Amino acid sequence: MRGRFAAAPGGGLRTEVCRDGAWFGRLGPEWTALYGRCSAATPFQAHAWLHSWWLSYGRPGALRVVLVRRADGTLVAAAPLMRAAGPLPVLTALGGSITDFSDVLVDDGCPEALPALAGALARLTRGAVLDLREVRPGAAAERLHAVWRGSRRRLADSLCLELPAAPMDVLVKRLPSSRGQRVRAKLRKLDALGIDERILAGPEVPAALERLLELHRRQWQGRGVTPEHTSARFARHLTRAVRSMVESGNAMVTEFRLDGEVVCVDLTLSSPRLAGGYLYGADPVLRARKVDVAAMLLRHGAREADASGRTTLSLLRGAEPYKHHWRPETVPNQRLLLAGRAAAPLLWLRAGAAAGRRWVAGQAREREWLGRMLGRLATRLRRTANGGGG
């Protein structure tokens, strides 16, 4: 089912809304061409990722993909959206919680496409709120937010950590000397163990991803694995999306072998400017042999990202302590809310609720941190009282 075309103001552009999953699937070639002309795009805007996500997680009747075309039919902008579940009229980006960055696509060579996309979205969202989560600084959605004529809000979202895409010796030089020496010792141990790396081709990807997910479950057994990473729908999504992305250069799957056995599988997602380690699975035998898996993966990812000419090595969402060992730059994602006049009260209500949830979560994290500090202090006091010292 095709949506009706609407003329966009100026530039001879026209817009339409794709509401049919099969039609969305057929957009692949022209979507990929547009993706290549949008310098802000991340791997999560690739058609293979978004369409596969829709097949695994989409709801019938919810798809709303806004398209902007030149008069000759060339696709120059796209917003991959869906109507959110629930009673309130809200549109969100495709990709959900398993996607680290959401965005719209706008052709760098067609500046008039952005206001045309904004106009199409304004018509689509009459009475509704457009809620874009996990928008990376510099995204095309930031420019959309800037030209929006209705109500708008910008909120903080997840923190991401980033390193320059440079060889490992350059990254090690960024560290304090004592830390750098420890890292070099760990890398020498990796070399002494003789762990082999092999980047896989497309036909090898499905079996490798099955091994990755199994190793990931074993790696986190008893330590609180992310439930979605063990689900069948996630496995189906990953297998569908990643093989295609490997073949187009937007993903890399690497196996690490020790004594001939696969002990780790890593998935890195890439766009022309950015590479990010998305998911890996490591055999617990590596931990038993005191292998620094993070250093192993970072060395491999840094080498490949640098060789490919990319500028950014992203550690993606999350500010876990082990990531901070590498002295990365903190890059906060944003949450952008847009609405017309009719839905302005709903936007402010949604923004207020989001801010309240962040405040509650922050208080919980602060209490957790304080509890850990008090626990450590109590342990030291007990040791001192028992004559054990520091």
Side-chain angles (χ1 to χ4, degrees), residues 269-281:
L269 303 182
S270 305
S271 60
R273 294 186 177 184
L274 174 148
Y278 180 72
L279 192 69
Y280 73 92

Side-chain angles (χ1 to χ4, degrees), residues 264-326:
C264 184
V265 184
D266 176 67
L267 169 60
T268 295
L269 303 182
S270 305
S271 60
R273 294 186 177 184
L274 174 148
Y278 180 72
L279 192 69
Y280 73 92
D283 194 312
V285 72
L286 293 177
R287 190 165 63 245
R289 297 184 69 164
K290 307 214 181 294
V291 170
D292 189 329
V293 176
M296 179 180 76
L297 296 178
L298 185 65
R299 179 169 67 171
H300 174 70
R303 181 175 62 242
E304 295 300 323
D306 177 58
S308 68
R310 294 180 172 91
T311 57
T312 300
L313 182 61
S314 177
L315 307 181
L316 300 182
R317 285 182 298 174
E320 295 88 348
Y322 79 89
K323 294 181 181 179
H324 283 284
H325 292 166
W326 302 98

Side-chain angles (χ1 to χ4, degrees), residues 42 100-102 132-139 141-142 154-163 274 312 314-319 324 328-336 358 365:
T42 77
D100 288 65
F101 304 124
S102 67
L132 298 177
R133 300 291 307 269
E134 308 298 355
V135 175
R136 186 171 181 266
E142 277 195 323
R154 185 192 302 261
L155 304 174
D157 221 329
S158 301
L159 293 180
C160 297
L161 300 177
E162 295 183 355
L163 291 165
L274 174 148
T312 300
S314 177
L315 307 181
L316 300 182
R317 285 182 298 174
H324 283 284
E329 178 186 358
T330 300
V331 181
N333 281 350
Q334 306 157 85
R335 182 175 185 175
L336 305 181
R358 286 186 65 84
R365 285 193 298 270

Side-chain angles (χ1 to χ4, degrees), residues 193-196 257-263 289:
L193 284 171
I195 296 178
D196 296 321
R257 291 176 178 262
L258 177 62
D259 300 329
E261 298 293 326
V262 176
V263 291
R289 297 184 69 164

